[in-house]
Amino acid sequence: MTDSKRKLQLLDFEKPLAELESRIEQIRTLAENNDVDVSEQIQQLEARATQLRQEIFSSLTPMQELQLARHPRRPSTLDYIQAITDEWIELHGDRQGTDDPAVVGGVGKLAGQPVLIVGHQKGRDTKDNVARNFGMASPGGYRKALRLMDHANRFNLPILTFIDTPAAWAGLEAEQYGQGEAIARNLREMFQFDVPIICTVIGEGGSGGALGIGVGDRLAMFEHSIYSVAPPEACAAILWRDAQKGPKAADALKITAKDLLSLGLMDQILPEPMGGAHSNPIEAAQTLKQSLLSTLDELWRLSGQERRDLRYDKFRRMGIFTQIAA
């Protein structure tokens, strides 16, 4: 990627760090060209860059977390599949006439173990995003996902889902072709599968679009991913009729991994490389792989009935609250 393209993809809070790193590189280049020793100065600047990076990424607001979750260079489902699997064969179609590119899935081997992987797929640039419908799945996408998961259940393959969507496609055709029914059926069927199901939010988990492949024995989130009942901008437009109040909605919705873990809705937070998953995709992929292997080892020790019972209890506990009388 060229420097100009990389600058265009910088988030506002990343710019001070990028400017400092650019200065370090310029000083290093000038020193090499003029045969000058500035190692001590460079070392001081690099220490400052490390400190600044820690300061920035340890105190992000919920809206900044959302920006990171939507970062155009953030690893996608296919990126992770390529990085963590030994073999991979993508499977297509819902067997009802459609093959939604916003949902990808297939069979592969994870450390030699056969698995079924299905996930949302966003594009890398505008053209690709349009082709992938920005990761917003149609009814056919959820039917494809269910067909693949049913295949996995029949052949005793664990199911791994990667969630990364702002929401399900909300177009008129989606409603005509049964968007609500398709997602509801997925929810019902995923509760009944015998095999282990591990769901991981790798970027943006929004609304029913995320839930359509989000019923599992374990739900993990990358550190800078988000999981929400609705995108903050949509929530703000509904509540205040002003999408510009998205940051206020993001604070109230409790969309971050830390918030969701504290509320008991999330089972595990996967740490990201300093600077976000896009700063070191290989490291992020290794973290994901180790987490999946460890969790699979744990889940395989349970019977199918035990997994179903735990899965049911897990979701029944969500939303429970205590009302204290005045």
Side-chain angles (χ1 to χ4, degrees):
M1 180 183 296
T2 64
D3 289 341
S4 59
K5 284 186 178 180
R6 191 176 297 276
K7 287 178 182 178
L8 287 173
Q9 294 181 330
L10 285 173
L11 303 176
D12 289 341
F13 58 86
E14 291 182 302
K15 289 178 180 177
L17 179 60
E19 289 170 1
L20 180 54
E21 290 176 338
S22 178
R23 276 183 56 200
I24 293 171
E25 192 58 37
Q26 288 173 0
I27 292 171
R28 182 180 284 113
T29 301
L30 286 171
E32 290 175 356
N33 292 340
N34 294 281
D35 197 22
V36 178
D37 182 13
V38 292
S39 55
E40 186 175 342
Q41 291 89 330
I42 288 178
Q43 189 174 3
Q44 291 174 351
L45 287 171
E46 287 178 339
R48 172 57 187 150
T50 299
Q51 181 185 3
L52 181 60
R53 186 179 293 107
Q54 291 173 341
E55 289 173 358
I56 290 172
F57 288 93
S58 63
S59 58
L60 295 173
T61 66
M63 202 62 183
Q64 288 172 332
E65 296 277 16
L66 176 60
Q67 287 179 286
L68 267 184
R70 292 173 173 171
H71 200 290
R73 291 193 290 116
R74 192 171 178 86
S76 67
T77 290
L78 288 176
D79 292 329
Y80 282 122
I81 288 172
Q82 184 178 13
I84 69 175
T85 58
D86 310 318
E87 299 176 37
W88 162 254
I89 300 175
E90 186 175 354
L91 303 176
H92 294 273
D94 66 347
R95 297 300 183 266
Q96 295 185 43
T98 68
D99 181 26
D100 184 3
V103 173
V104 296
V107 292
K109 285 189 176 180
L110 181 70
Q113 179 177 180
V115 295
L116 184 284
I117 304 176
V118 62
H120 301 102
Q121 181 63 35
K122 292 181 178 179
R124 187 63 69 198
D125 53 32
T126 302
K127 183 179 179 181
D128 196 18
N129 257 322
V130 170
R132 298 279 184 184
N133 200 30
F134 296 86
M136 296 186 292
S138 67
Y142 289 107
R143 290 174 183 135
K144 175 168 71 170
L146 181 58
R147 179 181 76 83
L148 299 182
M149 291 188 288
D150 185 61
H151 171 90
N153 192 55
R154 290 202 311 272
F155 291 96
N156 202 36
L157 303 177
I159 298 169
L160 312 177
T161 75
F162 297 159
I163 297 167
D164 189 16
T165 181
W169 181 35
L172 179 61
E173 286 188 3
E175 294 304 313
Q176 289 175 337
Y177 294 131
Q179 184 73 287
E181 185 274 341
I183 293 174
R185 178 174 293 189
N186 281 23
L187 301 182
R188 183 190 69 189
E189 296 302 319
M190 291 182 80
F191 276 112
Q192 300 178 31
F193 289 148
D194 291 322
V195 296
I197 306 175
I198 304 173
C199 307
T200 307
V201 183
I202 62 172
E204 186 178 9
S207 193
L211 282 175
I213 57 170
V215 176
D217 307 301
R218 295 289 186 274
L219 183 57
M221 286 179 70
F222 269 104
E223 181 182 1
H224 299 305
S225 58
I226 66 102
Y227 201 45
S228 173
V229 67
E233 299 91 341
C235 177
I238 293 169
L239 293 180
W240 300 294
R241 301 188 184 279
D242 184 1
Q244 297 303 313
K245 292 186 178 179
K248 181 179 179 181
D251 289 337
L253 284 168
K254 304 300 182 187
I255 63 176
T256 69
K258 289 181 181 179
D259 285 332
L260 293 164
L261 185 66
S262 68
L263 291 170
L265 303 178
M266 196 61 47
D267 298 304
Q268 182 185 11
I269 296 177
L270 305 182
E272 296 188 24
M274 186 59 67
H278 64 281
S279 67
N280 192 335
I282 299 301
E283 182 181 334
Q286 286 304 310
T287 298
L288 174 61
K289 183 176 182 179
Q290 292 305 314
S291 171
L292 292 173
L293 290 172
S294 175
T295 306
L296 278 175
D297 183 59
E298 177 187 341
L299 291 175
W300 275 128
R301 297 174 188 175
L302 306 175
S303 68
Q305 184 63 52
E306 288 174 325
R307 285 191 292 267
R308 289 199 305 274
D309 290 343
L310 289 172
R311 198 180 303 153
Y312 178 81
D313 291 340
K314 171 185 175 65
F315 281 84
R316 288 295 293 176
R317 288 194 302 270
M318 293 183 182
I320 293 177
F321 64 93
T322 302
Q323 185 172 354
I324 302 174

